[in-house]
Amino acid sequence: MSGWPFWHVTITVAGDVVPAETIRHGLEQLSHDHPFLLTGRYTADRAEIRYWEEGPDARAVARLALALWEDHRGSAGLPDWQVVGLEVLDRDTFRRRGKVPAEPVSLVGVAPF
């Protein structure tokens, strides 16, 4: 074991419309290929996957996350979609989000968490 921390990753991908069965099957196969996959949500032109990744820092985990869809596209039968969103959170930040009610983002200025 490397001793690196775990990071919570959310990847959003989007592209041309595909049959729902195609994306569902692809996400199911990805969950077998990538054992830390937590959830996969999808529509005909967009998908979001959430999982835990081990790594030394957010930059290294982001690099792995950005490559995940492309790396598994052939083996999992995923559509040729592009990453349109990426979030990498350390464990403490992820846990804090669940404990604190979400406040709307201020349109002017800054606000505390």
Side-chain angles (χ1 to χ4, degrees), residues 10-110:
T10 303
I11 302 171
T12 305
V13 294
D16 294 334
V17 172
V18 299
E21 180 69 17
T22 299
I23 187 62
R24 184 186 62 76
H25 177 73
L27 290 174
E28 287 174 351
Q29 184 59 47
L30 180 60
S31 73
H32 294 296
D33 294 350
H34 197 277
F36 292 111
L37 186 67
L38 296 174
T39 61
R41 302 186 310 169
Y42 64 92
T43 64
D45 64 348
R46 180 172 301 264
E48 177 185 274
I49 54 175
R50 294 173 181 237
Y51 63 95
W52 289 98
E53 183 70 74
E54 192 176 20
D57 56 35
R59 181 179 296 181
V61 171
R63 278 194 298 267
L64 291 171
L66 288 170
L68 179 76
W69 191 265
E70 183 65 28
D71 290 350
H72 290 273
R73 195 161 49 92
S75 64
L78 300 168
D80 187 18
W81 290 351
Q82 301 300 311
V83 174
V84 297
L86 172 65
E87 180 180 62
V88 177
L89 301 173
D90 69 344
R91 188 178 293 208
D92 186 51
T93 302
F94 178 75
R95 286 183 176 157
R96 285 177 188 242
R97 281 197 179 169
K99 292 180 181 177
V100 179
E103 295 289 330
V105 175
S106 175
L107 296 177
V108 178
V110 295

